[in-house]
Amino acid sequence: MKLHPLSIPYRAASRGLSLGLMLFFLGQSLSGSDVLPFPLAGPVLVVLAALGVVGAAAWQVAYYRRFEYRLTGDGLEIASGVVSRRNREIPLGRIQNVDISRNVIQRALGVAVIDIETAGGGATEASLRYVGYDEAKRVQRQIQRLKRGEEAAEDETEPGERASPEERETVLFELQTDELALLSVLSFDFRYLSLLAFGPAALPFVPGVAELAFVGGLVLVALLVAALWALSAATTFARYYGFRLTRLGDELRYERGLLQRYDGSIPLGKVQALTLDANVLMRRFDYTTLAVETAGYGPGQTPSGGSEAAVPLATRERVLRLAREVEEFEVPEFSRPPKRARTRYAARYALVLAGLAGVLYALEVAVTPPAPIPVPLAAIPLAFLVVVPVAAHLKWRNRGYAVGEDHTLTRNGFWSQTTKVVPYYRVQTVIQSQTVFQRRRQLASVVIDTASSAGGAAAAVDVDAETAAELRETVGEKLQASLAARRGETDRESDLDSSRRD
Amino acid sequence: MEVLNPRVRLAWGVGAVVTAVVVGVLAAVVSRFTLGPGVTVGLAVALGALALGLAFVVLRYRSWRFEVREDDLYLERGVLTRINTVVPFVRVQHVDTQRGPVERALGLSSVVVYTAGSRGADVSIPGLTPERADDLQEQLRRLAIESERETDAV
């Protein structure tokens, strides 16, 4: 198969524009100097830029002519390259996610990008730029069908006509407009607040009228916070507009996006872990988000927002019901870290505040201020000592872990509480660690690592040292047990298959 | 539980000496431009760093042990932070042996075990004799293949 013919002008335009601009500016900066033997006047510049555009277009035609892809029973074969040729085959079984994305212009042209993710490496394995939207959907469907081992029936008939029962899409979740609005408002990322650090630089300083400057500063900070909030809400709105999650056989499909439309698939068989996230505001209204993690994306790199593609926001109850469609897990009783962990947090916060006070005191002594300050600076962090017990308690309260029949659950974080659900058969390694400070209090942490490439691993932090050692062994044993159980299943299946064949 | 070959202390010790020299030279340069006496300060700092580094090497050696268990590889290590890792054989992607120049001079070798995990994706066991490293690599490779069968590694 070839790419969509429109990909030539589209690629030529986008590449040619940047190349033309670069040449233009290069010419501009060289025009004054005597580096070149001929004078770089207006018409020459235009010719240069035009040459760049034509060159880019010619390259794109060659790229189009030499690009070929094919879906076979074994996988996706791609032959590409103008100067150096490259032939690649991606085995079907290794394909994790198939994502389709279209921005506004691509939507108008009716073309789309297909990104194929595998577990290896840090980058997208293969990217088809650009194919027709229908063709993209066909590839996505076909990959799933081939994976199930069906005959590579070419899609001559309409999908609706010949859809087998398991091929009919069932809608699992649709984001209503009011939910989307709520999500946009609630999902304020507290990290945006760090941008406020740049605030003071932007503050207009009125010398002499210190009070006025202070009030003005406060107003400005409030305005900035509101603006950041609006920005975050708008981003979230555009990102999750028209969100829809469906199930098609053994794959989850999602669609979302206002300006850039995404359309991806998450194979259920490749799910590594489930993450439920809820910040303080969401918890207040009993809402939560769900992310389905696969090994498809490289760390820190999410071509389409990665595994954000699950449920952006719904009531906790509904999310749990949905999550159980993906993984059948129970929510067992969570055990909290022992109380001495809480003392540890309190001590830690108090030490940080004391350190801050010390630094401020030293600063005050070293630099004599022009005008006397009413309160000693060092007193400010010390005043926060009052909230230390509360903060320590909240941190402690939101931590925990639970060992279920087939899954381990861990929970961490107050501002944004993250609950991870890890099936035992997905565990890669188990790491128990104990810092010097933890050793003093007989505490330890256990990290349960999977091949998931989104977010951090599940961690039971600050549990009793002996319990941690037990947990480490339990998880290892449960992994072996669940593997044995799965093996039994596949053996039975293959027995059935062979008896059917006989 | 198996301990490392005692010679690994020499290999780590070489590293400690190199670090001490670098730190000492840096300290000498800095103090030369700020306080004046460069060489004495540098020497003192280097000696201090060396003492710390050597103490660390001894403790690190004492804390290191590993065991090939029935279904997994189990490691214990760490001086300030104690780390115990369980690597199930099913999850082993491949096993390497590695020999750096210092290790080669001392007749040592390391085994590196790779998994598909996102953290601790590679676990290395240093301070093995080349024969033990080859044995361990072979053993882990065999166990990984035996336990794999039809399960999905990722």
Side-chain angles (χ1 to χ4, degrees), chain B residues 34-100:
Chain B
T34 51
L35 302 169
V39 183
T40 26
V41 173
L43 210 61
V45 169
L47 280 178
L50 188 64
L52 259 178
L54 292 181
F56 210 75
V57 165
V58 171
L59 290 175
R60 189 166 160 204
Y61 174 73
R62 273 196 210 153
S63 72
W64 239 111
R65 62 205 63 213
F66 69 95
E67 190 178 14
V68 180
R69 302 196 297 196
E70 198 181 331
D71 298 315
D72 47 41
L73 175 68
Y74 174 69
L75 303 107
E76 274 184 27
R77 65 198 185 283
V79 179
L80 291 176
T81 302
R82 287 267 154 79
I83 299 171
N84 308 355
T85 314
V86 177
V87 188
F89 298 137
V90 217
R91 297 310 187 201
V92 173
Q93 299 274 326
H94 61 274
V95 188
D96 282 357
T97 53
Q98 269 179 11
R99 304 187 74 186

Side-chain angles (χ1 to χ4, degrees), chain A residues 196-209:
Chain A
L196 280 184
F198 298 105
L203 283 188
F205 189 68
V206 191
V209 204

Side-chain angles (χ1 to χ4, degrees), chain A residues 55-88:
Chain A
W59 177 267
Q60 291 314 325
V61 172
Y63 180 88
Y64 172 80
R65 290 174 64 106
R66 305 306 302 269
F67 196 101
E68 200 107 28
Y69 68 94
R70 202 154 68 95
L71 254 179
T72 65
D74 304 320
L76 181 68
E77 286 169 20
I78 299 174
S80 65
V82 178
V83 177
S84 63
R85 298 283 293 163
R86 183 177 187 185
N87 288 317
R88 224 171 352 163

Side-chain angles (χ1 to χ4, degrees), chain A residues 28 126 165 207 279 289 293 302 328 410:
Chain A
Q28 277 287 1
N279 66 28
T289 69
E293 294 181 8
T302 48
E328 283 172 42
T410 65

Side-chain angles (χ1 to χ4, degrees), chain A residues 257-337:
Chain A
L258 178 65
L259 297 176
Q260 181 130 356
R261 193 94 183 125
Y262 292 104
D263 184 330
S265 64
I266 311 167
L268 285 177
K270 300 276 187 192
V271 170
Q272 298 284 335
L274 297 177
T275 307
L276 291 109
D277 251 315
N279 66 28
V280 188
L281 285 174
M282 293 178 190
R283 286 211 297 283
R284 174 75 188 71
F285 300 103
D286 213 21
Y287 273 85
T288 186
T289 69
L290 170 72
V292 178
E293 294 181 8
T294 61
Y297 301 100
Q301 170 257 7
T302 48
S304 58
S307 70
E308 288 168 47
V311 174
L313 182 86
T315 55
R316 197 176 159 73
E317 195 192 338
R318 198 159 153 218
V319 164
L320 279 179
R321 213 167 48 230
L322 259 174
R324 289 210 181 97
E325 290 245 3
V326 180
E327 276 288 333
E328 283 172 42
F329 67 93
E330 297 293 307
V331 182
E333 194 72 12
F334 271 84
S335 1
R336 288 208 181 109

Side-chain angles (χ1 to χ4, degrees), chain A residues 424-425 427-430 475-477 479-481 483 487, chain B residues 2 66-75 85-95 111-117 121 123 125 132 135-154:
Chain A
Y424 289 123
Y425 70 92
V427 172
Q428 289 279 341
T429 50
V430 188
V475 172
E477 282 160 22
L479 164 68
Q480 299 301 336
L483 283 174
R487 237 172 252 159
Chain B
E2 207 171 318
F66 69 95
E67 190 178 14
V68 180
R69 302 196 297 196
E70 198 181 331
D71 298 315
D72 47 41
L73 175 68
Y74 174 69
L75 303 107
T85 314
V86 177
V87 188
F89 298 137
V90 217
R91 297 310 187 201
V92 173
Q93 299 274 326
H94 61 274
V95 188
V111 168
V112 189
V113 181
Y114 295 87
T115 68
V123 177
I125 307 174
R132 178 68 188 121
D135 278 357
L136 193 62
Q137 184 189 22
E138 185 54 34
Q139 190 184 7
L140 288 173
R141 205 179 57 84
R142 195 167 36 77
L143 286 168
I145 293 170
E146 263 173 28
S147 58
E148 185 177 25
R149 305 226 353 239
E150 279 169 33
T151 49
D152 190 0
V154 175

